[in-house]
Amino acid sequence: MQQLISPLTAPFADPASLESLAAVYAYPDQVNHGQPWLRANMVSGLDGGAKLDGLSEGLSGDADKRIFGVLRALADVVLVGAETVRAEGYRPGRARADFAAARRAAGQQPAPAIAVVTRSLGLDLAAPLFTEPLVRTVVITTEDAPPERLRAVAEVADVVVAGRGSVDLRSAVASLAERGWTRLLSEGGPRLLGQLAAAGLLDELCLSLAPLVTAGDAPRIIHDAEMPDVQRMRLVSLIEQKGFLFTRYLRPPTP
């Protein structure tokens, strides 16, 4: 893996090491003072498609999976849409020995919690995400969610109610931060990421660009959301490995 640009790391840092990647992707200090920071991690092909054969897995590679694991290891909670949970067969976050000491020092739980955003509560409650979590799974839903489903979900997961008719993501993020989960990571899918961006909650985008032209009708990484205005981002790091580009963009500081 060769680092091309990375102003946030030492000149001779080795981006192939977990320690170096953790330094590149470190959360800002504000998370230590109760202020949430929401980063998204997505992958796309050269033509912008966020899926191949209906899944993001086909766009991934070894280095992408390595960075995916590091981002999870740094996060308090992983925010994901129910559609992605169903399509990708989501499992609970796992503890990683390489990050155990750092997580303890930061006051984090052994693994990140998974927080599923869903209005309909159409979830498989017998799946490992709900039966085998190291940290209890969280389900974020609305006041008018189906009552019977809500009761069933509450037996196997923590429930956060935010909004009516649709999930109020600002309220949801605030609720997670109140738990001390200020290091937030969204893994999509494209619809949820679009809603987060439209709500002005996207602080950082980690985009893996696969050296593939996929065509087809796959959605972009941000899909089906009306943005009130264009959100400009600034590039802060770029890593290349076997044709894959791993970018990190931050929201510019508020004047």
Side-chain angles (χ1 to χ4, degrees), residues 118 121-133 137 139 148-157:
T118 171
L121 299 177
L123 301 167
D124 178 5
L125 302 182
L129 183 60
F130 299 100
T131 62
E132 302 174 6
T137 296
V139 172
E148 290 186 8
R149 291 292 298 170
L150 188 59
R151 285 192 291 271
V153 168
E155 292 182 3
V156 296

Side-chain angles (χ1 to χ4, degrees), residues 223-235:
H223 180 68
D224 196 26
E226 292 293 329
M227 296 281 289
D229 196 4
V230 172
Q231 180 173 331
R232 299 192 181 278
M233 309 287 281
R234 60 188 178 95
L235 179 68

Side-chain angles (χ1 to χ4, degrees), residues 166-190:
S166 61
V167 173
D168 181 338
L169 290 170
R170 283 187 168 275
S171 176
V173 167
S175 294
L176 295 175
E178 287 173 3
R179 294 173 174 235
W181 294 348
T182 52
R183 301 168 183 84
L184 292 95
L185 170 65
S186 175
E187 294 173 351

Side-chain angles (χ1 to χ4, degrees), residues 43-69:
V43 62
S44 80
L46 294 176
D47 51 347
K51 297 180 180 180
L52 182 61
D53 297 328
L55 298 173
S56 61
E57 170 71 21
L59 297 169
S60 188
D62 291 342
D64 180 55
K65 291 174 182 176
R66 186 177 181 85
I67 291 173
F68 175 94

Side-chain angles (χ1 to χ4, degrees), residues 34-174:
Q35 300 177 48
W37 180 270
L38 192 147
R39 71 166 34 133
N41 182 32
M42 299 292 284
V43 62
S44 80
L46 294 176
D47 51 347
K51 297 180 180 180
L52 182 61
D53 297 328
L55 298 173
S56 61
E57 170 71 21
L59 297 169
S60 188
D62 291 342
D64 180 55
K65 291 174 182 176
R66 186 177 181 85
I67 291 173
F68 175 94
V70 169
L71 294 184
R72 277 204 169 191
L74 297 175
D76 296 321
V77 59
V78 177
L79 200 61
V80 63
E83 183 178 346
T84 298
V85 167
R86 290 188 292 265
E88 305 277 354
Y90 257 60
R91 299 183 65 85
R94 62 184 181 90
R96 299 187 60 177
D98 292 315
F99 291 89
R103 290 186 70 88
R104 283 195 300 270
Q108 295 176 285
Q109 295 171 294
I114 306 295
V116 185
V117 178
T118 171
R119 183 180 61 83
S120 66
L121 299 177
L123 301 167
D124 178 5
L125 302 182
L129 183 60
F130 299 100
T131 62
E132 302 174 6
L134 185 61
V135 178
R136 190 170 166 91
T137 296
V138 175
V139 172
I140 301 171
T141 191
T142 61
E143 296 175 10
D144 52 340
E148 290 186 8
R149 291 292 298 170
L150 188 59
R151 285 192 291 271
V153 168
E155 292 182 3
V156 296
D158 289 350
V159 175
V160 171
V161 175
R164 185 175 184 83
S166 61
V167 173
D168 181 338
L169 290 170
R170 283 187 168 275
S171 176
V173 167

